[in-house]
Amino acid sequence: MGAPDAIAFLHDTTWQGKIFDGGWNAAQGGSQPIIEPATGATLGHTGKANAADVARAAGLARAAQRAWAASDYKERAAIFRRAAALLEQHRDELAEWIARETGGILPKAQLELREAVAHLHEAAAMLTQPQGQLLAAPHDQFSIARRVPHGVVGVISPFNFPLILSLRSIAPALAVGNAVVHKPDLQTPVTGGVIIARIFEQAGLPPGVLHVLPGGADAGEALCTHPDIGMVSFTGSTAVGRRVAELAGRALKKVALELGGKNSLVILDDADPDIAAANVAWGAYLHQGQICMASGRILLQRGIAAAVTERLLDKAASLPVGDPMSGSVALGPLINGRQVERLHGIVQDSIAAGASLLAGGNHDGRFYQPTVLAEVRPGMRCFEEELFGPVASITVFDSDDDAIALAAQAEGCLALGVISPSLARAMHIVNRVPCGHAHINDQTVLAEVHAPFGGSGTSGNGGRHGGPADWDEFTQWQWLTIKSQAPHYPF
């Protein structure tokens, strides 16, 4: 297929250089190019929202929200199903956009589309789920605890899996009756924003209910502080998450944070070395390691460490790196030059501190080689910091309790993986390492639309996405009592 502007679903260039605020309009903040990370080519232009654009969108969203919340639930559910059908209908075309804009390989792009469709169907299903509880009350009265929308929800999403990590908040927030103002990452405005606006526009979502405003920090701060926005859902780095929480907290807004962290994959000495190495490579290298739940610490028990490392080196040497659109490529580019510089600095500083470089450790522009670091110890940057790059950082341990101590040395942890045929040993570790989700006999990069997803410590604030957690996050409790007639009070 040719250039992105030839894609059937996005061929209508009314979105080019625009934001979506009930329609495609010029942003007060201007516009900016969309850059393909693998080639540096310009894929198009998008609007760049500023604080004034956010304020306008918030007001329009608030005005549209009540009618949307009061609309027939069957009609709302049908919109989500039509939006899902549009993604499926145009999946090949959109997969190429995702691959080119995010730098991910085509299978990763296809995964994003499948999961996005699942999120939309899950949102449609929410509309027939129970929305409250009947509480104890006298026989001639009703006392009800029911879930009601916040009003307007602000969503801020990252660049790595922009379609999924945007829709997992947007879809349930809309489903339960909120309007949404969404700020996708400026590096992935089409995948994280334009596609979503287009599917809902074509699916019949009423104007004003969804706003998509790619923007910078000024737009994000406006979204966190504007009084018409009642909740903020943020996915991104811990540093920015702290700022979001601070700004939203001053305005007494509800905040859901899914942040970065340091995730451990523990391989016990009774594991199969071939299976273990495959899990390590997948958890550390998938999408160039640019995943919040990537396996950032590879903890190998001493008896199996040499065998797993040998097999991992074979895998690192065999994974081709290059332009995802060029053919058979396993790893694409990192998203930008800053990420390359940061990752390379971590690798070089860790080597200087005593880590052994067994594979990789270099890059050609944004293309970073699959890297293996051994003899990693606590205190080294590769042990302490989130890598967000294709680096397997190996630490050897002796006892199961040593593994627990090493894995627990993290201020924030989204995911923990333990590989062992002994479920008792694995559960002993899982039960003692704080984490948002844990997986026995699997690596750390896992998510399901119906399962609560989030992190512990500095990886989140207790918020979760998915399944029953969506009701917790995107609605609030309201107590409602109903009496057949008003009582006579003695005053």
Side-chain angles (χ1 to χ4, degrees), residues 252-396:
L252 300 180
K253 298 179 190 291
K254 178 180 172 65
V255 183
L257 302 174
E258 195 260 274
L259 310 176
K262 199 66 177 176
N263 313 299
S264 294
L265 175 57
V266 180
I267 312 293
L268 298 182
D269 55 9
D270 53 3
D272 180 295
D274 292 314
I275 295 295
N279 276 264
V280 171
W282 185 263
Y285 298 147
L286 180 64
H287 193 41
Q288 300 80 260
Q290 297 175 122
I291 305 176
C292 57
M293 65 274 204
S295 303
R297 288 178 183 166
I298 310 303
L299 306 181
L300 302 181
Q301 197 153 25
R302 193 170 302 279
I304 200 174
V308 174
T309 301
E310 178 184 2
R311 290 159 173 79
L312 179 62
L313 290 174
D314 290 340
K315 293 182 180 296
S318 66
L319 292 172
V321 182
D323 183 348
M325 304 307 298
S326 66
S328 181
V329 170
L331 278 72
L334 296 187
I335 191 67
N336 59 47
R338 296 188 308 277
Q339 293 284 355
V340 174
E341 291 175 7
R342 176 186 173 275
L343 177 67
H344 197 55
I346 292 174
V347 170
Q348 293 301 310
D349 287 351
S350 299
I351 294 170
S356 296
L357 177 65
L358 303 185
N362 212 335
H363 62 95
D364 181 6
R366 297 183 183 182
F367 299 95
Y368 209 93
Q369 298 171 354
T371 297
V372 179
L373 291 174
E375 299 181 63
V376 173
R377 301 185 306 275
M380 294 181 180
R381 289 188 68 189
C382 62
F383 185 90
E384 304 293 345
E385 298 182 31
E386 186 177 25
L387 296 164
F388 238 63
V391 177
S393 175
I394 296 174
T395 301
V396 175

Side-chain angles (χ1 to χ4, degrees), residues 227-241:
D228 284 338
I229 295 176
M231 176 199 170
V232 177
S233 176
F234 172 82
T235 303
S237 71
T238 297
V240 178

Side-chain angles (χ1 to χ4, degrees), residues 119-199:
H119 277 291
L120 290 165
H121 283 300
E122 193 77 5
M126 291 181 73
L127 287 158
T128 55
Q129 294 172 357
Q131 300 176 26
Q133 301 177 22
L134 188 64
L135 306 178
H139 72 279
D140 60 344
Q141 301 175 20
F142 290 99
S143 182
I144 300 167
R146 63 176 182 170
R147 307 294 308 204
V148 297
H150 297 295
V152 180
V153 171
V155 177
I156 304 174
S157 63
F159 67 82
N160 54 343
F161 281 77
L163 184 60
I164 295 174
L165 298 183
S166 300
L167 269 179
R168 72 172 184 182
S169 292
I170 293 171
L174 290 173
V176 298
N178 298 289
V180 171
V181 178
H182 171 48
K183 191 195 84 65
D185 193 294
L186 275 174
Q187 298 170 108
T188 51
V190 173
T191 304
V194 172
I195 291 173
I196 296 168
R198 291 282 285 150
I199 61 171

